[in-house]
């Protein structure tokens, strides 16, 4: 574990990606194969089966630290991370160990089948021989979610440096449904002919936001335009008579969208489609709100399948007849996609995302302004002669989103942040006027600079009217512009409304509280865009 | 006299009616007793100040022409019907807890404090009292400070490693207290210590006028030639780290020292290369030990994790409550 802890410390201590990649590459050259394999697995979101519930971990850690459970529970949101809270709250270890990362994983897996007493003894014994960093990492193995500033991309680059192989090849090797039990370091990374995995998706190509005027892209005739949909980006893979659905986050979502299984009835094996998964009401996409009910559900109740059925709105063809098409120009891929989708019956869970014809940028810009009517977030621009690249590379694909909706609101509650912002007030509740009352309608906790968060924190400390546990009611004195991407009815909220992606876009020092917007203004936005 | 009248909590600050004075007030008053020179405790605008001999020079430097009377630790002063004395708080050089006695009832205002000696500040001295007014900046059981020798070793290793990697170590620290503590931990054998003007001013007062044991420093001026100091470490207020001031000394490895560096999230927000966990406030065990040693039954909690810490004190059998103040704790100090 010491070597893995050293790697983690080196990665965590720097903000420079070159240093992170160098540290990882060195580790991939020197660590034992089993440790390397587990490191790749952990950093790509694969983890050992949960041996202990987090409830038990909290109880045992509080007990060992000699603090009441409520105090542990208060400290946890402030630290912002369970593994770290446990690592910090425990008394120092009484001894040391040379056990490696994979040794500890084996230790944990052996505990899974034991009774609770044995599991508790095993965990307490581990805590007592790990230094604070090792302990934090060990707890991460237990609680999951190894998000430590290493993207899949950085890891791919480090593997490529360590093995001398191409980055794109590495990216492809790491995709798919493998686990450290189904592969070895040798078969996954080093073997000449890594066994072709039918489920393996292609790395996604991601668009850049367009910030300049579209004229900067050159002649309109070089470009293809379509709506930018507000769904889940996904890859539908049909191979060897099976279907697989991958999210952009490289998560396998096949089981979440059972209606997509029918795709195999309409398209041949050896087809891979890139598109947007959308909730669909037979003619048009439903608002994101409908799709949201499906997200996070591993199994879907029948009523929900009826209420919010999904389809793939297809916009690119990456593989046809088992042949990788990514080097072909977009225009060709798009034509082939259109030809395999045109004659499909309505019950096929696929549609072609329509092309928006245009001849000049101004006309297209006018079309963009109507995106909300089409239930879209804006436009996508794709260069007609571009290959399908991997990752976020500037130049060929642009997302040209609508400006967000905005409303001026009054801050009425504040709460301290956690993790990165443990000592600042960062979570705020905002209200709009209804007559002489301020009605809370949304929370927001991003959008300000650290400097602004420091200022508002000092202000909150001096202007607290009342405390409700961690929440402070503050003087209604500051107006903020809240930007958001959508709005819908929500009986659960006091205001009857809920916003999508609310954030603080501007601190309106210039606006007195009386000039903040009203609930009627919000309702008007709902009428126009909901 | 009724027991609760030793100190009352007013909109201007902690007030002693029997002696007609305030302690660390945040609005201008006639007579202010000051625990220590940090900006949230020693504010401008009072007619008369009273503080320790050790705190006065840096306070004068910060606040300009003020009317200050000074006392020695332990001296008893009579103010109206109150007896007042100052006792070391171990927070920064010259910092004090203020003991106030009225008709046999003793209250102690601790200001900011830490219980473990740092080799520089006068060590914390427990003072028996009926009521104790405490901070709780790090009043959560996740804050445990390691022995300062261990952190000193880390600091000096970072200095050496940075030089070896061709980087200039630039260390950010508040100019009063934290900077001098770091100076006392840094190893002058490695190289010279170059200081920013704000740090140098405070250091010169404490070292040259008051005789605190601090190593020599080289103040940076516009004429300072970076090439003349290849092994030097730069010590500066956090705001100067990464500024044009430090950039002319070449590619930097940046470091920051604070108790908040214990939390990975805060460390990452600072976006410094290294975070060193060094605080001039008591950690969880320090707070607990200090309160216990006073023998106080009543505890008032001023700044920090006040709600949580107060609840825990009540669980332990104290009569504790939160007092709203305008002290800010470690993020407000000198930044
Ligand atoms: Zn202080
Ligand atoms: Zn303070």
């Amino acid at each position: 574990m010491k070597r893995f802890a050293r790697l983690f410390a080196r990665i965590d201590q720097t903000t420079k990606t070159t240093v992170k990649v160098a540290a990882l590459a060195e580790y991939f050259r020197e660590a034992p194969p089993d440790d390397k394999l587990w490191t790749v697995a952990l950093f790509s979101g694969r983890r050992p089966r949960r041996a202990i519930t987090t409830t038990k971990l909290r109880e045992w850690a509080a007990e060992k630290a000699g603090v009441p459970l409520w105090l542990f529970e208060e400290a946890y949101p402030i630290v912002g991370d369970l593994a770290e809270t446990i690592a910090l709250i425990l008394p120092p270890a009484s001894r040391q160990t040379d056990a490696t990362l994979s040794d500890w994983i084996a230790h944990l897996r052996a505990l899974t089948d034991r009774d609770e007493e044995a599991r508790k003894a095993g965990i307490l014994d581990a805590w007592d021989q790990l230094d604070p960093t090792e302990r934090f990492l060990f707890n991460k193995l237990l609680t999951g979610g190894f998000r430590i500033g290493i993207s899949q991309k950085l890891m791919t680059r480090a593997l490529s440096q360590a093995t001398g192989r191409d980055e794109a090849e590495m990216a492809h090797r790491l995709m798919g449904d493998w686990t450290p039990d189904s592969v070895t370091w040798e078969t996954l990374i080093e073997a000449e002919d890594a066994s072709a995995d039918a489920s393996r998706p292609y790395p996604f190509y991601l668009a850049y936001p367009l910030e300049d005027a579209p004229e900067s892209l050159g002649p309109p005739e070089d470009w293809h335009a379509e709506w930018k949909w507000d769904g889940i980006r996904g890859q539908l893979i049909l191979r060897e008579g099976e279907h697989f659905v991958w999210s952009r986050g490289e998560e396998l979502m096949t089981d979440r969208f059972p209606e997509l299984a029918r795709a195999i009835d309409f398209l041949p094996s050896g087809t891979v489609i890139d598109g947007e998964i959308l909730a669909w009401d037979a003619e048009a996409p439903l608002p994101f709100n409908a799709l949201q009910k499906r997200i996070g559900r591993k199994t879907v109740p029948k009523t929900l399948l009826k209420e919010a059925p999904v389809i793939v709105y297809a916009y690119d063809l990456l593989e046809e007849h088992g042949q990788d098409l990514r080097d072909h120009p977009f225009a060709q891929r798009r034509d082939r996609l259109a030809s395999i989708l045109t004659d499909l019956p309505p019950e096929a869970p696929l549609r072609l995302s329509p092309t928006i014809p245009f001849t000049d940028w101004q006309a297209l810009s006018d079309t963009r302004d109507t995106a909300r009517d089409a239930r879209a977030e804006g436009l996508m621009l794709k260069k007609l002669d571009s290959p399908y690249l991997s990752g976020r590379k500037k130049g060929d694909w642009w997302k040209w989103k609508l400006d967000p909706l905005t409303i001026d609101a009054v801050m009425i509650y504040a709460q301290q942040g956690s993790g990165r912002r443990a000592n600042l007030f960062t979570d705020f509740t905002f209200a709009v006027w209804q007559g002489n009352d301020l009605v809370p309608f949304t929370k927001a906790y991003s959008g300000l600079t650290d400097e602004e968060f420091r200022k508002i924190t000092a202000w909150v400390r001096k202007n607290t009217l009342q405390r409700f546990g961690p929440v402070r009611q503050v003087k209604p004195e500051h107006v903020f512009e809240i930007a958001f991407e959508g709005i819908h009815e929500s009986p659960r909220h006091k205001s009857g409304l809920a916003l999508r992606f609310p954030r603080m876009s501007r601190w309106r020092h210039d606006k007195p509280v009386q000039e903040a917007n009203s609930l009627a203004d919000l309702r008007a936005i709902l009428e126009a865009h909901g | 006299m009724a027991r609760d009248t030793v100190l009352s909590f007013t909109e201007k600050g902690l007030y002693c009616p029997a002696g007609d004075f305030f302690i660390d007030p945040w609005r201008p008053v006639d007579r202010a007793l000051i625990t220590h020179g940090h900006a949230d405790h020693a504010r401008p605008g009072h007619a008369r100040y009273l503080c320790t001999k050790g705190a006065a020079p840096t306070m004068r430097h910060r606040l300009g022409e003020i009317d200050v009377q000074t006392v020695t630790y332990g001296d008893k002063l009579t103010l109206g019907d109150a007896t007042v004395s100052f006792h070391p708080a171990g927070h920064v050089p010259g910092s004090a807890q203020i003991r106030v006695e009225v008709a046999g009832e003793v209250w102690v205002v601790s200001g900011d404090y830490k219980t473990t000696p740092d080799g520089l500040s006068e060590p914390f001295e427990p003072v028996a009292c009926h009521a104790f007014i405490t901070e709780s900046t790090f009043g959560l059981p996740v804050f445990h400070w390691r022995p300062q020798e261990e952190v000193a070793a880390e600091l000096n290793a970072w200095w050496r490693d940075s030089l070896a990697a061709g980087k200039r170590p630039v260390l950010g620290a508040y100019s009063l207290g934290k900077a001098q503590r770091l100076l006392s931990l840094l190893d002058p054998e490695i190289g010279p210590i170059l200081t920013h003007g704000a740090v140098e001013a405070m250091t010169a007062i404490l070292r040259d006028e008051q005789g605190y044991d601090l190593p020599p420093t080289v103040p940076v001026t516009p004429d300072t030639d970076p090439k003349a100091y290849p092994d030097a470490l730069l010590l500066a207020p956090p705001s100067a780290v990464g500024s044009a001031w430090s950039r002319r000394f070449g590619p930097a490895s940046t470091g920051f020292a604070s108790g908040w560096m214990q939390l990975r999230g805060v460390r990452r927000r600072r976006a410094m290369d290294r975070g060193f966990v060094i605080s001039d406030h008591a950690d969880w065990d320090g707070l607990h030990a200090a309160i216990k040693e006073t023998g106080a039954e009543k505890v008032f909690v001023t700044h920090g994790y006040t709600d949580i810490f107060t609840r825990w004190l009540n669980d332990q059998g104290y009569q504790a409550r939160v007092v709203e103040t305008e002290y800010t704790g470690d993020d407000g100090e000198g930044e």
Side-chain angles (χ1 to χ4, degrees):
Chain A
M1 197 73 144
K2 296 224 178 306
R3 189 198 294 266
F4 186 60
R6 246 188 343 264
L7 167 69
F8 168 77
R10 284 180 68 187
I11 291 171
D12 205 43
Q13 269 169 17
T14 183
T15 49
K16 298 181 181 69
T17 50
T18 48
V19 179
K20 290 183 191 195
V21 171
L24 259 179
E26 188 185 313
Y27 179 87
F28 287 137
R29 276 190 286 263
E30 292 170 1
D34 283 354
D35 276 21
K36 293 194 279 196
L37 180 63
W38 266 110
T39 301
V40 173
L42 292 170
F43 288 176
S44 60
R46 295 163 173 87
R47 60 185 175 86
R49 191 152 66 88
R50 184 163 287 188
I52 321 279
T53 64
T54 56
T55 315
K56 286 287 164 221
L57 287 176
R58 291 141 104 129
E59 280 173 26
W60 299 343
E63 184 189 320
K64 180 77 186 166
V67 303
L69 192 59
W70 71 261
L71 183 53
F72 182 96
E73 298 297 345
E74 290 283 356
Y76 167 32
I78 292 166
V79 175
D81 182 283
L82 184 60
E84 188 183 355
T85 309
I86 295 173
L88 292 176
I89 215 162
L90 291 170
S94 72
R95 54 195 213 279
Q96 296 248 332
T97 171
D98 286 329
T100 65
L101 170 65
S102 26
D103 293 340
W104 280 114
I105 288 168
H107 174 77
L108 277 182
R109 295 175 128 192
L111 287 180
T112 349
D113 303 323
R114 310 284 302 277
D115 63 19
E116 188 174 317
E117 273 315 295
R119 277 185 289 163
K120 180 174 178 183
I123 297 297
L124 290 179
D125 187 52
W127 283 340
D128 196 38
Q129 47 188 312
L130 297 169
D131 76 22
T133 310
E134 295 177 286
R135 206 187 251 171
F136 168 71
L137 296 168
F138 175 79
N139 292 342
K140 280 283 178 201
L141 296 175
L142 289 164
T143 59
F146 248 92
R147 243 168 281 145
I148 60 161
I150 288 294
S151 61
Q152 183 97 359
K153 193 170 165 177
L154 289 192
M155 186 161 68
T156 313
R157 192 177 306 162
L159 282 169
S160 152
Q161 282 182 14
T163 59
R165 285 169 193 274
D166 192 53
E167 255 184 68
E169 185 201 329
M170 274 302 148
H172 200 230
R173 279 173 179 249
L174 293 188
M175 292 187 119
D177 206 8
W178 61 273
T179 72
D181 295 320
S182 69
V183 299
T184 63
W185 174 260
E186 169 71 20
T187 57
L188 182 73
I189 302 294
E190 289 182 339
E192 256 342 297
D193 185 16
S195 65
D197 179 350
S199 77
R200 196 166 286 181
Y202 294 100
F204 283 81
Y205 181 38
L206 307 175
Y208 251 89
L210 182 67
E211 270 143 20
D212 298 334
E215 285 78 11
S216 65
L217 299 178
E221 55 273 23
D222 292 351
W223 293 85
H224 160 92
E226 61 192 280
W227 293 118
K228 177 176 185 334
W229 299 107
D230 188 11
I232 299 172
R233 176 90 183 269
Q235 220 175 97
L236 175 66
I237 294 173
L238 308 174
R239 287 188 194 126
E240 297 170 17
E242 281 191 272
H243 85 290
F244 306 92
V245 183
W246 288 91
S247 78
R248 202 191 76 175
E250 279 145 32
E251 189 188 358
L252 193 57
M253 305 186 297
T254 313
D255 297 339
R256 297 198 190 177
F257 303 113
E259 53 269 71
L260 301 183
R262 295 202 62 188
I264 356 180
D265 301 342
F266 303 99
L267 294 171
S269 262
T271 305
V272 176
I273 284 171
D274 184 10
E276 196 88 359
I277 298 167
L278 292 168
W280 186 256
D281 78 350
E283 295 194 351
L286 290 163
F288 188 80
N289 195 19
L291 186 61
Q292 200 145 35
K293 297 179 192 154
R294 300 282 304 263
I295 299 174
R297 278 190 184 264
K298 295 225 160 152
T299 54
V300 195
K302 276 217 173 78
T303 48
L304 200 51
L305 278 177
K306 239 188 208 151
E307 221 179 281
V310 302
I311 61 145
V312 171
Y313 231 13
Y315 38 64
D316 211 329
L317 184 64
L318 309 185
E319 183 177 308
E320 191 184 23
H321 310 304
Q323 189 205 346
D324 181 352
L325 296 184
R326 291 176 300 158
D327 283 341
H328 295 238
F330 174 75
Q332 264 185 39
R333 300 197 307 271
R334 174 85 198 183
D335 283 348
R336 294 207 198 178
L337 178 70
S339 69
I340 63 171
L341 295 179
T342 23
D343 292 330
L344 293 188
E347 62 269 28
L350 288 141
R351 303 278 181 288
L352 181 65
S353 170
T355 299
I356 297 172
F358 71 106
T359 46
D360 70 279
W361 292 117
Q362 185 50 51
L364 189 63
S365 174
D366 295 342
T367 310
R368 182 183 76 128
D369 292 339
T370 67
R372 285 200 177 90
D373 302 332
R375 297 243 160 90
E377 295 183 297
L379 292 174
M380 287 297 304
L381 300 174
K382 298 177 181 174
K383 198 146 194 222
L384 287 165
D385 64 2
S386 64
Y388 190 92
L389 301 172
S390 76
R392 204 182 288 281
K393 297 208 175 68
K394 242 179 193 162
D396 292 340
W397 282 24
W398 298 94
K399 48 182 173 191
W400 192 21
K401 288 185 38 167
L402 279 182
D403 295 331
L405 299 162
T406 63
I407 191 113
D408 290 330
V410 184
M411 175 187 292
I412 55 166
Y413 297 109
Q415 193 173 348
Q416 249 168 39
S418 65
R420 265 165 59 77
R421 303 200 149 132
N423 50 348
L424 296 174
F425 280 86
T426 58
D427 297 10
F428 305 107
T429 302
F430 294 92
V432 283
W433 292 106
Q434 184 177 30
N436 291 323
D437 296 329
L438 282 167
V439 187
F441 69 102
T442 192
K443 283 184 163 212
Y445 27 84
S446 65
L448 297 186
T449 62
D450 281 352
E451 181 54 34
E452 286 174 315
F453 276 127
R454 264 198 285 277
K455 271 196 190 140
I456 198 74
T457 294
W459 181 86
V460 167
R461 290 204 169 110
K462 289 184 199 166
N463 292 280
T464 299
L465 298 177
Q466 232 185 318
R467 293 170 180 234
F468 309 96
V471 180
R472 292 174 178 225
Q473 186 186 6
V474 296
K475 277 189 201 154
E477 191 177 307
H478 288 292
V479 176
F480 287 81
E481 181 184 85
I482 306 295
F484 52 100
E485 298 303 323
I487 182 167
H488 56 90
E489 299 261 13
S490 168
R492 287 188 301 120
H493 291 82
K494 212 175 193 172
S495 61
L497 299 164
L499 306 187
R500 184 156 145 68
F501 292 141
R503 68 259 180 198
M504 292 167 272
S505 50
R506 212 145 48 105
W507 187 344
R508 299 292 309 253
H509 294 284
D510 57 315
K511 270 217 165 169
V513 187
Q514 296 73 25
E515 288 176 25
N517 283 107
S518 67
L519 193 57
D521 298 334
L522 266 179
R523 289 242 149 236
I525 300 178
L526 176 73
E527 293 301 313
H529 303 291
Chain B
M1 196 164 283
R3 299 196 104 208
D4 275 357
T5 53
V6 173
L7 292 173
S8 54
F9 304 103
T10 75
E11 290 206 330
K12 293 178 174 174
L14 278 57
Y15 177 65
C16 174
D20 190 22
F21 60 81
F22 287 84
I23 297 176
D24 292 355
W26 45 87
R27 299 274 182 279
V29 300
D30 178 48
R31 175 156 232 183
L33 276 57
I34 304 292
T35 59
H36 67 290
H38 280 148
D40 55 329
H41 293 260
R43 300 190 187 234
H46 309 309
R48 288 177 297 162
Y49 292 79
L50 176 64
C51 66
T52 66
K53 286 204 162 57
T58 48
M59 245 169 71
R60 274 208 196 87
H61 176 83
R62 268 201 43 242
L63 300 175
E65 274 310 303
I66 49 170
D67 176 359
V68 196
Q69 184 193 343
T70 61
V71 289
T72 305
Y73 287 120
D75 278 0
K76 289 204 158 135
L77 252 114
T78 305
L79 298 176
D81 291 329
T83 307
V84 171
S85 52
F86 288 61
H87 304 267
H91 175 52
V92 296
S95 68
Q97 313 173 68
I98 301 179
R99 179 185 185 276
V100 184
E101 179 173 351
V102 177
E105 169 88 2
V106 178
W107 286 32
V108 169
V109 178
S110 55
D112 291 338
Y113 65 93
K114 72 170 175 292
T115 50
T116 45
D118 61 15
L120 187 65
S121 312
E122 299 75 9
F124 178 85
E125 184 186 298
V127 181
C129 58
H130 299 103
F132 187 62
I133 294 153
T134 185
E135 57 143 325
S136 62
T137 304
F138 294 108
L140 285 180
V142 293
F143 295 108
H144 300 285
W145 311 149
R146 285 190 296 142
Q148 77 167 3
E149 313 83 74
E150 287 182 31
V151 189
E154 269 179 20
L155 261 175
N156 289 313
W158 165 70
W159 185 353
R160 287 196 189 88
D161 293 348
S162 303
L163 295 178
K167 294 277 171 68
R168 170 76 61 184
V170 183
L171 187 55
Y174 303 120
S175 37
L176 172 57
K178 187 64 63 63
Q180 290 74 34
R181 182 163 176 207
L182 294 173
L183 277 175
S184 73
L185 300 180
L186 289 166
D187 179 2
E189 297 285 299
I190 305 174
I193 301 164
L194 265 53
T195 49
H196 182 274
V199 169
E200 182 62 21
M202 291 296 181
T203 305
I205 294 169
L206 291 167
R207 180 186 54 206
D208 307 338
E209 287 179 32
Q210 297 181 260
Y212 284 97
D213 182 18
L214 291 167
T217 49
V218 182
V220 172
T221 68
D223 304 326
T224 306
D225 176 13
K227 289 196 197 74
Y229 301 97
D231 298 334
L233 172 142
L234 256 61
L235 186 60
S239 55
V241 175
S243 70
W245 179 86
S246 68
R247 277 201 300 275
R248 73 186 179 97
F249 288 87
S253 172
T254 54
F256 183 63
S258 157
W260 292 111
M261 295 296 109
Q262 178 101 291
L263 299 185
R264 180 167 171 258
V266 182
R267 225 158 45 223
R268 289 156 63 82
R269 187 184 82 225
R270 275 279 170 184
M272 300 265 185
D273 296 317
R274 289 294 297 274
F276 300 97
V277 185
I278 302 180
S279 177
D280 290 323
H281 296 266
D283 66 1
W284 173 255
D285 296 326
L287 289 169
H288 183 199
I291 292 166
K292 200 170 171 190
E293 276 189 284
T294 64
E297 285 170 9
K298 253 188 252 172
V299 182
F300 298 96
V301 183
T302 54
H303 51 317
Y305 290 105
T306 50
D307 297 305
I308 301 171
F309 192 57
T310 302
R311 180 174 167 196
W312 183 80
L313 286 173
N314 282 312
D315 270 13
Q316 305 300 305
Y318 295 96
Q319 292 173 42
R321 81 173 169 91
V322 180
V323 175
E324 289 297 338
T325 66
E326 294 189 9
Y327 309 136
T328 56
D330 218 12
D331 20 85
E333 284 170 5
E335 207 182 18

